[in-house]
């Protein structure tokens, strides 16, 4: 498995940007709505997806090393 990059990357820049966005949405964003439309839920879902891809990549590296 190749390392996730671009729209699937999970590097320090993405993590920092995620937390900045999450805090801004939490403080200044819209009120909580249903799960599919709530921006905080969407941000967390994308974070978890990218983290899962990163963990899969790490596991594949450990398996081949």
């Amino acid at each position: 498995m190749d390392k996730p990059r671009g729209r699937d990357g999970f590097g320090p820049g993405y993590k920092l940007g995620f937390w900045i966005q999450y805090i801004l949405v939490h403080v200044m964003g819209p009120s909580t709505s249903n799960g599919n439309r709530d921006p905080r839920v969407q941000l967390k879902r994308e974070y978890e997806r990218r983290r899962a891809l990163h963990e899969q990549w790490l596991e594949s590296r450990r398996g081949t090393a």
Side-chain angles (χ1 to χ4, degrees), residues 7-8 11 13-14 16-17 22 26 32-33 35-37 40-41 43-44 46 53-54 60-61 63 65:
R7 297 186 60 83
D8 292 330
Y14 170 75
L16 178 64
Y22 188 78
H26 184 71
T32 304
S33 59
N36 292 333
R37 297 189 58 183
R40 286 176 282 191
V41 172
L43 284 170
K44 286 294 264 187
E46 177 66 11
L53 277 174
H54 183 73
S60 72
R61 274 185 73 198

Side-chain angles (χ1 to χ4, degrees), residues 9-19 21 43 46-48 50:
F10 193 68
Y14 170 75
K15 292 178 201 176
L16 178 64
F18 163 79
W19 285 111
Q21 277 185 318
L43 284 170
E46 177 66 11
Y47 182 86
E48 294 298 327
R50 287 185 181 209

Side-chain angles (χ1 to χ4, degrees), residues 1-13:
M1 176 178 193
D2 293 335
K3 183 174 183 175
R5 298 183 194 282
R7 297 186 60 83
D8 292 330
F10 193 68

